[in-house]
């Protein structure tokens, strides 16, 4: 906003700036107190007071030679000083003149006002010397100086007047008449107005200029942000028609394709049908037409985007970058589109990680729909060679997405497509409405038109040859006609022939004759073209050469060109030379005579391209390439490239190849330029395609092409380096597929060594994928540490663990059945697709990504796509989902709508509204069910406990009524049009029946009756029903024979059952979260493992080989049902951890556990995995547990508030507490550990001497004691107690020596009593302040000296916050488990001084002795370097380790990803040693070096050195 300020005179000492635009006022001193102005010296002046006038300066010095034509502050001050001099003189007249006081005062006031304005100008000019000066202001300055000097000369009485004054004679006579005074007043008023107006004008000019510059800066910032956003879009540079690699590809010659191009240009400006498909066989000129059209459209401003697919280009042979590339190009075509696309992308930058359907909708369709009505020309998108896209599914999706363009009403957009008439493309266009597309097949163009165009091409080429070879009257019309006929309407034939004939090294007449007189195999569609290729190769390699030379040239051709034709991506000459161990010069020599069939760029950085894909087909096909000297053995060529790839990786891969700063640095820290700099193109190629070449090579021995030794060496030496590079390139899904494919092509040998190594590598990637994908350097730390001890990969690389890791955890011996864990939305529900290729997940939790479905690749765990339904405002939670037989996905929304989504396109439609209103989430957590019946109907169970059948034929639903039963809890679809369901009886709400229901006859058969609310049951396709009783007994019922049999017992009870397809196996999930695989026929069981968190649902793949389990958090675990695992210690499996804590000195670790109904405390020595002591805690939870400060005792409050106190040396309970004295609601140890205070529900506080075993004194509250804490010196005891009112608490401070109450105050409290525990009550080290919670977001500070209370209120506070004072009592820290960003508050100022930008749960904190960091259960938080990008400037600070957000951090640097098997809420830390809890293994330890900052330089491979590791 533009602000203009008007300077107005006020008092002589002050000025007020009135903001015209902003309403801002500011008062500043008007008179400087220091000198420094040009021509002015500092002077202290006496003040003369004139009644009715402000104080003025009476004595100022005038500069001798003022500059009046520049904005010199000295000039302005001189004028102001002169005015002050005049006012001073007038003041003398005021005292002496009796009859003209009014005129004197009038003139003095006006001169004074004018002087003030001039002084303000001086100050403004001094503050801003570059202030521009308008002509009017310069003129006014001249006039003002002249007028002030004239007035002074007329008023100054001179020396005579002064002498007469000394004699007592009134000497002053007012020299002006009233009219003259009025004239002088008017003159100064006019000058004042001129100065004010000029100053306002100049200031406005400045502000306008500033506003313009600010606007420019803002626009540049916005442009930079748009550039950043567009730069993040996936972009295929080589797919553009005018890209650098395609710069030598020409368009249609003038005079050719005239009618066709005119037709296309008419279509491009008036899209009656927005999609135009041009089809034709290979070599008919489709790409040339597309390139010509794109060129013309771009010159006319009508080209919105283009994408030229190419089989030979790794980025242009697929659709991964299609949407991003077109979005960037559309953005450059229109500022409005650029803004819309950037806004859409900025709102959801993660869209580029989702499927093409989401990208197309968010980056193309939405911006086109939201862009305002455009007056610019129509826009067109050109898509060439769609048939060269490597996925038929992607081609189908692309064509379906293109149909959505018609929905854009604001932009007239057309899409031009060229391709061969492949089946998948023809079917795609056949399914399109004719109203939106038109077709043209080049075969339908009359032959004479095609021959005319080829004739034009030949004429131009022959003209060029005649000029270059200085020929005349050549070729003859007969020869030209013969060549035209041989081309058979194939432009590629004519073009190749001309390139061959026109080679400057040969006689064109001779070459033309060779072509025309060559023999041609009749009948083949490509015979003429094959003959041309054969002739070109013979002339280049064998004609006129000795047998030895010809053989050498042919061998080099097969090696070099054979590699080019089988490459899976384009490579420049330099990269190709490095891949093949050749010099660029030798590569250039080998290709020099092949310009007729290859596009060879003049520089080494551009890729080599085949002139036409038909050459690729020719040299690889023995039936077409008859001369075996030129025919390339495709399998042999792939085998040689595989060997080259392994050699390159062996020589170039190394640790931290891109020099990432920390082990936890994400791949986004390295841009594509950085990757290209550190990972050259040929190394990128080898990392991506070495397995593909190996798989396409000829089988030989154990692997392919006899590369067993090289493959084994790769996995033993470079596998982790390869994973690092694949993560940097964002290709982890591709890495999984590569290793899986490698394993599939291997043939077992006697040793099985390499195959076992590859299988272990596959499990290594799957298990550690999430961490490696997040941080490329994690293979060297996290992945190795948490892999099984017998992992072959782990054994190969354990010497590469970093030196800062001193203790590694105990891990499983072998890989478990769980091969991968996916991070999805909260409380997911899942389903496998019918082909088992995909896993769909969504959340039925109301606050977790509503309306969003994630589609995962079941084999790799990669996120394939994300389906998002509706706008953000209209999205509903999906409460059930299932796949339909055709592969589409049916989902049920919370408002009762039934939706069907197509997996490939992501298109969805609402097929039914079941009219059930909002589907409630029952308090017992039962889920809605959606399943497919044997008649392909949809069976739906909603929150109203009614089953509905949806018929696709009638598009209507019908309700199923179960006679005698009120509610249905669960159902599953069975064979032969039957359902199996559990329903509650009408007459007995505690009894349910398991019922077999016939959907057609409504007949019911009761299978069993049970007295629990939900019976776990499942069905299979072979008519078997399985269920479990309350004690875990599993039964099988054959619905055909009526046979009932017992399968076995799942100890601890069954939560979920699932029969595999075919009914051969059954999976049971226990109440203790264990998974067991049952063999139904043999009635045997295999332990699969333990779920990470409470198992919520189970899904089995259609082939019965994969199992997916979901948790109440965000995890989906994928299990291999073919794997087996030895039974694990059942005590660990059945344990539930409540708390894990180190003793204050770190010598002891306590784990508070629940096993069945019993609670125990296990005591460990750090780094040991077997408990030293097991303390019995009774049948009820331990509500409060802690070590004594001296680590000699452990106390807990358990059953009915009974206090347990154990001696950690003997493990015995204290015997001195009588049965009446051992009950308490809270407890506290003194700082020396010698005394224990127990507070009970009646208000008593008993303090015990633990050494003597006696109670030393008793304190009294009137109501329940809620919390207590001793001061650090033990001389004070603070307590909080309840009152008779639920709205208040009593806070007290006691002297532990005199037993007197030193402080007592009542505070209002909205916190529940149980929310107040020891660590939420704090006493300052100087014993002056108490801090405790008083409401959800407020803590109260009690000053025990002043008896005052102050509130600390923050939206980051929570009643669950832990509180701790600094050692100097000046700062208090708040750490909440719900809002985990620690806050530091100044206790005296009662204000927040800092928020530490870290995410960690901060249990039981304390300040370090030096106050530099906070010690918590989850590690140490440096107060100074937390949140900084680097701690390099804090070398003196020791390494501070902490656990947060699934990572171990050192200061502000991510160091190591923690395995998902660890409980993230049960962590203990002391002095660099972390203790985690694992459900199967119990306590696990991770230790890190202390005493020095971890070196930033992690570039070199680090070995263990002398650092000792315990395992």
């Amino acid at each position: 906003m533009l602000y203009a300020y008007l300077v107005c005179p006020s008092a002589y000492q002050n000025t007020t700036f009135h903001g015209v635009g902003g309403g801002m006022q500011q008062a500043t001193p008007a008179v400087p107190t220091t000198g420094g102005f040009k021509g002015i010296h500092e002077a202290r002046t006496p003040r003369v007071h004139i009644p009715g006038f402000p104080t003025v300066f009476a004595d100022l010095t005038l500069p001798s030679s003022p500059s009046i034509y520049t904005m010199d502050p000295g000039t302005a001050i001189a004028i102001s000083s002169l005015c002050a001099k005049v006012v001073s003189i007038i003041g003398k007249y005021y005292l002496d003149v009796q009859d003209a006081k009014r005129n004197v005062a009038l003139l003095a006031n006006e001169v004074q006002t004018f002087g003030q304005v001039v002084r303000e100008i001086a100050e403004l000019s001094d503050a801003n010397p570059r202030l521009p000066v308008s002509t009017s202001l310069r003129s006014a300055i001249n006039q003002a100086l002249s007028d002030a000097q004239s007035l002074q000369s007329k008023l100054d009485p001179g020396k005579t007047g002064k002498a007469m004054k000394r004699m007592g004679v009134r000497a002053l006579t007012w020299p002006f008449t009233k009219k003259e005074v009025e004239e002088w007043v008017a003159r100064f008023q006019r000058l004042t107005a001129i100065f004010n107006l000029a100053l306002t004008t100049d200031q406005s000019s400045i502000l306008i200029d500033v506003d313009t510059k600010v606007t420019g800066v803002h626009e540049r910032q916005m442009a930079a942000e748009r550039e950043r956003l567009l730069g993040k879009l996936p972009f295929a540079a080589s797919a553009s028609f005018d890209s650098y690699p395609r710069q030598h590809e020409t368009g249609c010659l003038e005079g050719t394709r005239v009618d066709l191009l005119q037709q296309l240009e008419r279509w491009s400006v008036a899209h009656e049908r927005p999609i135009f498909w041009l089809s034709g066989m290979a070599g008919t000129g489709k790409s040339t037409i597309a390139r010509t059209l794109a060129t013309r459209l771009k010159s006319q401003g009508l080209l919105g985007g283009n994408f030229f697919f190419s089989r030979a280009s790794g980025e242009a042979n697929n659709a991964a970058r299609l949407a991003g590339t077109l979005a960037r190009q559309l953005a450059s075509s229109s500022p409005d589109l650029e803004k819309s696309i950037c806004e859409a992308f900025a709102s959801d930058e993660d869209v580029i990680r989702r499927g093409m359907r989401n990208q197309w909708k968010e980056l193309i369709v939405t911006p086109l729909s939201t862009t305002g009505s455009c007056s610019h020309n129509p826009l067109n998108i050109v898509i060439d060679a769609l048939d060269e896209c490597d996925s038929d599914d992607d081609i189908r999706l692309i064509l379906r997405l293109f149909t959505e363009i018609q929905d854009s009403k604001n932009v007239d957009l057309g899409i031009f497509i060229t391709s061969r008439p492949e089946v998948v493309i023809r079917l795609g266009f056949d399914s399109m409405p004719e109203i939106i597309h038109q077709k043209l097949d080049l075969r339908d163009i009359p032959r004479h038109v095609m021959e005319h165009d080829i004739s034009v091409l030949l004429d131009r080429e022959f003209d060029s040859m005649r000029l270059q070879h200085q020929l005349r009257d050549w070729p003859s019309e007969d020869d030209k006609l013969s060549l035209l006929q041989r081309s058979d309407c194939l432009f590629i034939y004519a073009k190749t022939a001309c390139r061959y004939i026109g080679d400057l090294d040969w006689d064109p007449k001779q070459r033309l004759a060779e072509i025309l007189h060559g023999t041609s195999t009749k009948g083949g569609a490509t015979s003429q073209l094959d003959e041309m290729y054969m002739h070109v190769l013979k002339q280049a390699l064998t004609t006129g050469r000795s047998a030895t030379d010809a053989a050498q040239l042919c061998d080099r051709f097969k090696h070099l060109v054979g590699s080019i034709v089988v490459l899976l991506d384009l490579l420049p000459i330099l990269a190709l030379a490095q891949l093949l161990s050749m010099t660029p010069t030798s590569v250039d020599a080998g290709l020099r005579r092949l310009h007729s069939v290859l596009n060879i760029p003049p520089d080494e950085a551009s890729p080599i391209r085949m002139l036409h894909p038909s050459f690729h087909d020719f040299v690889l096909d023995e039936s077409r390439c008859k001369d075996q000297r030129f025919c390339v053995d495709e399998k042999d060529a792939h085998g040689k490239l595989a060997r080259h790839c392994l050699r390159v990786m062996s020589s170039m891969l190394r640790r931290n190849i891109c020099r990432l700063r920390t082990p936890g640095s994400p791949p986004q820290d390295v841009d594509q330029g950085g990757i290209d700099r550190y990972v050259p193109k040929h190394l990128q190629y080898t990392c991506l395609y070495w397995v593909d070449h190996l798989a396409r090579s000829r089988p030989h021995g154990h692997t392919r092409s006899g590369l067993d030794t090289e493959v084994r060496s790769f996995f033993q030496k470079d596998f982790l380096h390869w994973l690092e590079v694949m993560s940097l390139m964002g290709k982890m899904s591709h890495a999984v597929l590569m290793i899986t494919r490698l394993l599939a092509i291997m043939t077992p040998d006697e040793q099985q060594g390499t195959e076992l190594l590859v299988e272990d590598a596959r499990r290594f990637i799957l298990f550690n994928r999430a961490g490696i994908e997040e941080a490329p350097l994690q293979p060297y730390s996290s992945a190795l540490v948490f892999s099984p001890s017998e992992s072959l990969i782990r054994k190969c690389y354990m010497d590469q663990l970093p030196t800062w890791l001193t203790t590694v955890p105990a891990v499983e011996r072998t890989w478990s059945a769980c091969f991968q864990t996916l991070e999805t939305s909260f409380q997911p529900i899942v389903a496998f697709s019918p082909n088992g290729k995909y896993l769909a997940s969504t959340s039925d939790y109301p606050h977790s990504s509503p309306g969003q479905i994630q589609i995962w690749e079941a084999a790799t765990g990669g996120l394939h796509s994300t389906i998002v339904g509706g706008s953000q405002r209209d999205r509903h939670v999906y409460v059930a989902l299932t796949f339909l037989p055709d592969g589409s996905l049916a989902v049920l929304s919370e408002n009762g709508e039934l939706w069907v989504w197509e997996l490939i396109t992501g298109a969805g439609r609402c097929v039914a509204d079941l009219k059930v209103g909002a589907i409630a989430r029952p308090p017992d957590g039962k889920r809605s069910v959606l399943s497919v019946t044997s008649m392909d109907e949809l069976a739906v169970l909603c929150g109203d406990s009614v089953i509905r059948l949806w018929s696709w034929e009638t598009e209507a639903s019908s309700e199923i009524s179960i006679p005698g039963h009120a509610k249905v809890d669960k159902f599953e679809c069975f064979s032969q049009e039957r359902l199996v369901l559990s329903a509650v009886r009408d007459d007995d709400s505690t009894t349910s029946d398991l019922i077999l229901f016939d959907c057609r006859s409504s007949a019911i058969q009761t299978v069993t009756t049970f007295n629990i609310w939900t019976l776990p049951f499942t069905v299979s396709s072979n008519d078997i029903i399985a269920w479990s009783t309350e004690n875990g007994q599993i039964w099988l019922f054959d619905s055909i024979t009526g046979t009932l049999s017992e399968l076995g017992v799942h100890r601890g009870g069954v939560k979920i059952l699932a029969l595999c397809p075919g009914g051969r196996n059954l999976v049971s999930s226990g109440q203790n979260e264990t998974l067991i695989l049952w063999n139904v026929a043999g009635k045997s069981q295999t332990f699969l493992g333990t779920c990470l968190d409470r198992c919520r649902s189970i899904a089995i793949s259609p082939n019965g080989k994969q199992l997916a389990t979901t948790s109440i958090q965000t995890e989906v675990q994928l299990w291999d049902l073919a794997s087996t695992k030895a039974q694990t210690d059942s005590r660990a499996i059945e344990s539930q951890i409540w708390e894990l804590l180190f003793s204050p000195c770190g010598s002891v670790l306590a784990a508070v556990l629940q096993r069945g109904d019993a609670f125990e405390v296990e005591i460990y020595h750090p780094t040991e995995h077997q408990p030293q002591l097991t303390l019995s805690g009774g049948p009820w939870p331990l509500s409060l547990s802690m070590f004594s400060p001296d680590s000699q005792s452990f106390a807990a409050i358990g059953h009915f508030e009974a206090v347990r106190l154990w001696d950690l040396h003997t493990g015995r309970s204290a015997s001195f507490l009588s049965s009446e004295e051992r009950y308490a609601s809270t407890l506290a140890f003194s700082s020396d550990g010698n005394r224990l205070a127990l507070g009970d529900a009646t208000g008593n506080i008993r303090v015990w001497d633990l050494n003597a075993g006696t109670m030393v004194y008793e304190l009294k509250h009137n109501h329940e004691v809620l919390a207590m804490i001793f001061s650090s010196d033990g001389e004070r005891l603070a307590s909080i107690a309840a009152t008779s009112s639920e709205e208040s608490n009593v806070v007290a401070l006691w002297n532990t020596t005199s037993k007197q109450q030193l402080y007592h105050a009542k505070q209002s409290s909205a916190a529940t009593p149980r929310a107040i525990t020891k660590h939420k009550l704090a006493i300052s080290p100087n014993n002056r302040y108490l801090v405790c919670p008083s409401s959800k977001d407020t803590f109260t500070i009690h000053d025990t000296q002043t008896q005052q209370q102050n509130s600390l209120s923050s939206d980051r506070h929570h009643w669950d916050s832990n509180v701790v004072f600094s050692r100097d009592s000046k700062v208090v820290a708040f750490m909440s488990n719900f809002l985990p960003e620690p806050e530091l508050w100044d206790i005296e100022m009662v204000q927040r001084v800092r928020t530490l930008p870290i995410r960690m749960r901060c249990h039981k904190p304390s300040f370090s002795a030096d106050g530099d960091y906070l010690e918590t259960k989850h590690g140490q938080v440096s107060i100074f370097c937390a949140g900084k990008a680097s701690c390099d400037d804090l070398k003196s600070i020791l390494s501070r380790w902490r656990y947060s957000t699934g990572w171990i951090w050192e200061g502000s640097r991510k160091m190591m990803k923690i395995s998902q098997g660890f409980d993230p809420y049960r962590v203990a830390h002391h002095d660099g040693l972390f203790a985690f809890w694992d459900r199967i293994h119990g306590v696990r330890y991770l230790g890190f070096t202390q005493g020095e900052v971890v070196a930033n330089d992690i570039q070199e491979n680090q070995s263990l050195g002398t650092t000792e590791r315990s395992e």
Side-chain angles (χ1 to χ4, degrees), residues 43 60 136 177 180 240 272 384 561-562 636 749 835 1035 1083 1342:
L60 292 176
S136 59
T177 64
E180 289 175 329
S240 179
E272 294 182 3
D384 180 53
V561 178
D636 184 61
D749 64 355
N835 60 6
W1035 296 88
K1083 297 187 178 181
H1342 296 265

Side-chain angles (χ1 to χ4, degrees), residues 507-560:
D507 181 3
K509 292 182 178 181
Q510 178 184 349
R511 289 207 153 190
L512 176 59
E514 292 170 356
I515 292 176
L516 297 181
H517 295 93
T519 58
S520 176
T521 304
K522 303 295 182 181
T526 61
S527 57
Q528 298 287 355
L529 187 60
D530 294 347
E531 182 184 348
M532 170 61 63
Y533 285 143
M534 184 67 71
H535 190 81
V536 169
L537 296 181
K538 285 181 179 180
Q539 289 297 321
L541 304 173
T542 63
T543 301
R545 303 181 188 278
S546 66
T548 302
D549 290 344
Q552 291 179 351
L553 288 176
C554 290
D555 288 342
R556 187 172 65 178
F557 169 81
K558 286 188 174 183
H559 176 59
L560 186 54

Side-chain angles (χ1 to χ4, degrees), residues 1338-1482:
T1338 304
F1339 277 73
T1340 300
I1341 302 175
H1342 296 265
D1343 189 331
T1344 61
Q1345 290 185 6
T1346 64
Q1347 306 291 308
Q1348 292 181 344
Q1349 298 182 26
N1350 290 308
S1351 294
L1352 301 180
S1353 182
S1354 171
D1355 56 359
R1356 293 186 176 273
H1357 289 171
H1358 196 277
W1359 58 261
D1360 187 59
S1361 292
N1362 298 283
V1363 189
V1364 60
F1365 275 94
S1366 62
R1367 298 302 173 94
D1368 59 5
S1369 303
K1370 294 181 179 180
V1371 176
V1372 64
F1374 295 92
M1375 303 181 183
S1376 170
N1377 292 325
F1378 292 90
L1379 300 169
E1381 287 189 351
E1383 286 189 343
L1384 305 179
W1385 285 68
D1386 186 299
I1387 199 70
E1388 294 181 355
M1389 302 297 294
V1390 194
Q1391 65 181 12
R1392 181 170 53 210
V1393 294
R1394 187 167 188 190
T1395 298
L1396 303 181
I1398 60 173
R1399 301 287 296 177
M1400 64 180 295
R1401 295 178 175 270
C1402 303
H1403 299 263
K1404 304 184 178 180
S1406 62
F1407 273 88
S1408 63
D1410 56 11
D1412 285 346
Y1413 67 92
L1414 292 167
E1415 176 72 60
T1416 78
K1417 277 193 62 181
H1418 284 194
Q1420 299 162 327
V1421 182
S1422 175
I1423 295 175
F1424 298 103
C1425 68
K1428 291 187 179 181
S1430 173
C1431 293
D1432 296 343
D1433 56 335
L1434 298 170
K1435 292 291 185 182
S1436 61
I1437 297 180
L1438 301 182
S1439 296
R1440 303 301 180 199
W1441 298 95
R1442 59 186 171 90
Y1443 169 77
S1444 175
T1445 62
W1447 281 81
I1448 296 294
W1449 297 67
E1450 191 271 324
S1452 62
R1453 303 181 298 181
K1454 282 183 176 180
M1455 300 299 283
M1456 193 168 82
K1457 178 85 171 178
I1458 295 302
S1459 169
Q1460 292 173 310
F1462 287 177
D1463 188 332
Y1465 306 108
R1466 304 295 181 261
V1467 184
H1469 171 266
H1470 182 81
D1471 201 27
L1473 180 65
F1474 289 88
F1476 293 85
W1477 182 261
D1478 178 85
R1479 182 183 292 277
I1480 296 178
H1481 299 91

Side-chain angles (χ1 to χ4, degrees), residues 70 262 301 369 435 437 457 465 467 538 542 556 627 693 816 908 912 977 1034 1068 1191 1256 1261 1323 1347 1351 1507:
T70 60
Q262 288 179 351
S369 302
I435 194 173
H437 81 280
L457 170 64
M465 293 179 210
L467 181 63
K538 285 181 179 180
T542 63
R556 187 172 65 178
D627 193 330
H693 287 302
S816 68
E977 306 176 23
I1034 300 175
S1068 60
S1191 303
V1256 292
H1261 277 287
I1323 182 172
Q1347 306 291 308
S1351 294
T1507 305

